[in-house]
Amino acid sequence: MLTILGFAMIATFLVLIMMKKMSPIAALVLIPALFCVFVGKGAKLGDYVLDGVTDLAPTAAMLMFAIVYFGVMIDVGLFDPIVRGILKFCKADPMRIVVGTALLAAIVSLDGDGSTTFMITVSAMYPLYKRLKMSLVVMTGVAAMANGVMNTLPWGGPTARAATALKLDASDIFVPMIPALLVGLAFVFVLSYVLGVRERRRLGVLTLDEVLEEEKETETVLVGSGGSGDGKVSMRKGGTGGTGSGADAPEDTAGSGSGASAADDDGFQGLDPNRPTLRPKLYWFNALLTVGLLTAMIMEWLPIPVLFLIGAALVLSVNFPHIPDQKARLAAHADNVLNVSGMVFAAAVFTGVLQGTGMVDHMAKWMVDVIPGSMGPHMALVTGLLSLPLTYFMSNDGFYFGVLPVLAEAGAAHGVTPLEMARASLVGQPLHMSSPLVPAVYVLVGMAKVEFGDHTRFVVKWAALTCLVILGAGMLFGII
């Protein structure tokens, strides 16, 4: 019964958010609360929720201060050189823009943190997608898949969990998997190319010689403007007050003379080369601080929430020594902080009920029990296939510490080594990164202003295909 209710709860959640019948926050809270009552454990709902909140509180704290830290770093211009390089490569070509999104996400993913990757990628690429009217779900989907492949780095989490659960060395798991993971990453780039070509056919190509494209939302696109001839793409709000009657502007901005507060682009002025928040004299301080922060994360010198808390306080104090300026920066990023942290605590209800009622354990046991005995010698393949749905519907901790040891034990009885099982368990990560139980995905869709249901409908099929490519490459190379 718990197995059926567990799958029913997950299915209900996914259907409602994909059909846009409920917001993700409401669905994450109300659906598990309702199913907790169905299970007959409504009286323990408070305990389950508090357990879930306790487990996810450090993640929420990390995301809150990480958003402030990287938001301020974007404000002060730390990532402008990277953005200019990507934009120079893109040349206002939708195909290049999508490939550039995958490239940027893959590079930034080297830090091992999905939230960081999504904040930097979306902040850099969102204005370009928005101004060229490209599909934003393409951006979120490509970024999530690129990050999912790179999430298998030893310091990214899943590899370390698999190594801990099966008492193996993380390098023994990861290093042999590199060829298969490179094939998976190459597939993401090929897919990005295909999706980009599709966007190019839909929208056409803007050349760097085009100066302005006036948009209906009182915005302009400045491409290679100013006669500099340097091939840079700069984005700026159209702010010529009093132009037109407002008939072409969205309702919420039609009456504002400057158009500077259009809701779709709040907080995404990071590509303006003349913004007042730039701190060019502090560039190297900010760069060294960020390198030091990422190094401390990888080396695990302090817990990640503590590192970002200290980093956020330091970067605010140094770059904006005046308190009104600090308050302005915090206010500028408050929307993202509230949305993401609220989503994490709502997810705590979902995970708390799943784990507290025992539904997740019964679901995992059922999936293991239905594996035919004849599949024993092929348990690595089975584990790779199971990692897709299980890491999507469960947390990484639940899968790697709860399910993988059981699968490994079953495989060992048929001569399948724990190393093969551990490597196979990494296959599902490109899909896992878009799971509703992964806090970082809410950073991605929140900053990109994409509905979670739209992102899910778009990315699931492509992410699952990426996982299967990695699994196939692993088997072809004899790794799995």
Side-chain angles (χ1 to χ4, degrees), residues 115-398:
S115 303
T116 302
T117 298
F118 297 148
M119 280 186 281
I120 294 174
T121 302
V122 174
S123 296
M125 304 306 294
Y126 176 93
L128 204 53
Y129 277 80
K130 185 67 179 174
R131 285 359 184 256
L132 301 184
K133 298 183 179 179
M134 293 176 62
S135 171
L136 291 171
V137 293
V138 171
M139 177 181 67
T140 60
V142 166
M145 288 185 286
N147 178 253
V149 176
M150 298 297 289
N151 194 45
T152 55
L153 291 166
W155 54 86
T159 302
R161 287 181 174 91
T164 302
L166 300 184
K167 297 179 174 59
L168 301 170
D169 187 270
S171 61
D172 291 338
I173 299 173
F174 176 74
V175 174
M177 275 292 288
I178 290 177
L181 294 172
L182 287 176
V183 171
L185 190 59
F187 177 78
V188 172
F189 287 128
V190 171
L191 179 60
S192 302
Y193 173 82
V194 173
L195 294 172
V197 169
R198 191 169 70 180
E199 286 292 282
R200 178 198 281 170
R201 288 173 181 166
R202 184 172 68 88
L203 300 169
V205 180
L206 285 178
T207 67
L208 292 175
D209 294 329
E210 293 179 277
V211 180
L212 290 177
E213 178 190 336
E214 196 73 37
E215 287 193 67
K216 289 185 179 181
E217 298 178 352
T218 69
E219 298 174 351
T220 57
V221 179
L222 303 173
V223 185
S225 62
S228 64
D230 62 358
K232 295 177 184 175
V233 181
S234 64
M235 306 292 172
R236 189 178 304 157
K237 279 274 189 187
T240 56
T243 58
S245 62
D248 291 333
E251 291 181 7
D252 57 345
T253 61
S256 66
S258 67
S261 60
D264 280 347
D265 292 307
D266 283 351
F268 286 96
Q269 302 173 21
L271 294 179
D272 181 359
N274 300 310
R275 59 191 186 277
T277 57
L278 286 176
R279 297 293 185 269
K281 293 182 179 180
L282 293 171
Y283 182 86
W284 288 110
F285 167 81
N286 291 322
L288 290 174
L289 178 62
T290 301
V291 170
L293 178 64
L294 298 180
T295 301
M297 285 173 53
I298 294 170
M299 301 300 294
E300 299 182 352
W301 291 338
L302 283 173
I304 294 178
V306 176
L307 289 172
F308 275 116
L309 193 155
I310 295 173
L314 190 58
V315 75
L316 274 172
S317 300
V318 173
N319 287 276
F320 301 96
H322 301 296
I323 292 179
D325 293 335
Q326 293 179 15
K327 289 182 177 180
R329 289 303 89 214
L330 290 173
H333 302 291
D335 186 40
N336 285 328
V337 170
L338 181 60
N339 285 338
V340 173
S341 58
M343 202 77 73
V344 172
F345 286 121
V349 181
F350 197 93
T351 57
V353 170
L354 263 182
Q355 294 171 359
T357 58
M359 283 191 279
V360 70
D361 295 330
H362 281 74
M363 292 162 61
K365 185 176 183 301
W366 176 81
M367 296 193 76
V368 172
D369 289 344
V370 298
I371 300 173
S374 59
M375 292 298 293
H378 309 288
M379 281 302 294
L381 172 62
V382 171
T383 300
L385 293 173
L386 285 178
S387 70
L388 274 70
L390 289 181
T391 58
Y392 187 80
F393 295 129
M394 300 171 61
S395 66
N396 269 342
D397 286 338

Side-chain angles (χ1 to χ4, degrees), residues 376-442:
H378 309 288
M379 281 302 294
L381 172 62
V382 171
T383 300
L385 293 173
L386 285 178
S387 70
L388 274 70
L390 289 181
T391 58
Y392 187 80
F393 295 129
M394 300 171 61
S395 66
N396 269 342
D397 286 338
F399 175 70
Y400 286 103
F401 295 120
V403 179
L404 182 58
V406 178
L407 294 172
E409 186 176 347
H414 294 275
V416 182
T417 66
L419 275 173
E420 291 179 276
M421 299 293 289
R423 292 167 191 158
S425 70
L426 301 177
V427 166
Q429 288 306 303
L431 180 59
H432 169 75
M433 286 310 299
S434 292
S435 164
L437 303 181
V438 175
V441 75
Y442 298 113

